[in-house]
Amino acid sequence: PVIVAASNGVSTFNTLNHSVIGTGLTLTAERDNSGDWDVTSNTFEITSEPANSYRTTSGGNWSAATWERLTGGVWTSTPAPATNTTNNVYIRHAISSGSITPANVIVENNGTLTITASSTISTSLLVKTGGTLQINAALAIGSSGTFTVQSGGW
């Protein structure tokens, strides 16, 4: 257990570090050392994105949308990834693409990727629950690549 005194009803935990990926996690808190949990958080998940991954911060076409790149554990503003990047690309907004050949594309909940020109995803294409993939041109997946649509993905 980690104990931190509250100030005006708020406790801040600056030294917590949880490095195990998981889903359906909760935090529990107790206020009086009685052993019964007084507060339980909503469920949350801990995920891990590889360094140098990209994610959208607004919609538009691939080159005009705004992007962030994960560098040193921090997401920072960056130009659009090269259309042939080998890093993970997380689509969180409505993005249309010309011809692209990235290695790994993840279309997140509420994200939409519209393929408008012949494209190849070399390693993996994942459409998460609530994500949308619209294919208006030829789309190939690499010979040993994977194409996964989760339940509720389009």
Side-chain angles (χ1 to χ4, degrees):
V2 178
I3 299 171
V4 174
S7 174
N8 295 321
V10 177
S11 295
T12 302
F13 300 86
N14 293 323
T15 60
L16 291 181
N17 182 17
H18 195 293
S19 60
V20 176
I21 296 171
T23 60
L25 303 172
T26 58
L27 292 175
T28 53
E30 162 184 327
R31 68 171 178 251
D32 58 10
N33 226 10
S34 64
D36 63 333
W37 299 112
D38 298 318
V39 178
T40 301
S41 73
N42 293 330
T43 59
F44 61 94
E45 63 183 65
I46 297 175
T47 60
S48 175
E49 287 95 8
N52 298 313
S53 293
Y54 291 89
R55 70 180 183 186
T56 60
T57 59
S58 74
N61 69 43
W62 186 280
S63 59
T66 56
W67 295 84
E68 291 179 325
R69 186 173 184 178
L70 185 61
T71 306
V74 177
W75 289 102
T76 56
S77 223
T78 190
T83 58
N84 64 344
T85 183
T86 58
N87 299 316
N88 285 359
V89 176
Y90 295 88
I91 305 295
R92 304 177 331 144
H93 300 83
I95 300 294
S96 61
S97 73
S99 181
I100 59 172
T101 58
N104 302 294
V105 174
I106 300 94
V107 183
E108 303 262 284
N109 181 33
N110 295 320
T112 298
L113 177 59
T114 303
I115 303 292
T116 61
S118 181
S119 297
T120 300
I121 310 296
S122 61
T123 306
S124 103
L125 174 58
L126 169 62
V127 181
K128 290 189 168 186
T129 300
T132 302
L133 174 65
Q134 183 173 337
I135 304 170
N136 296 342
L139 174 64
I141 306 297
S143 60
S144 57
T146 60
F147 178 22
T148 306
V149 179
Q150 292 181 342
S151 175
W154 299 93

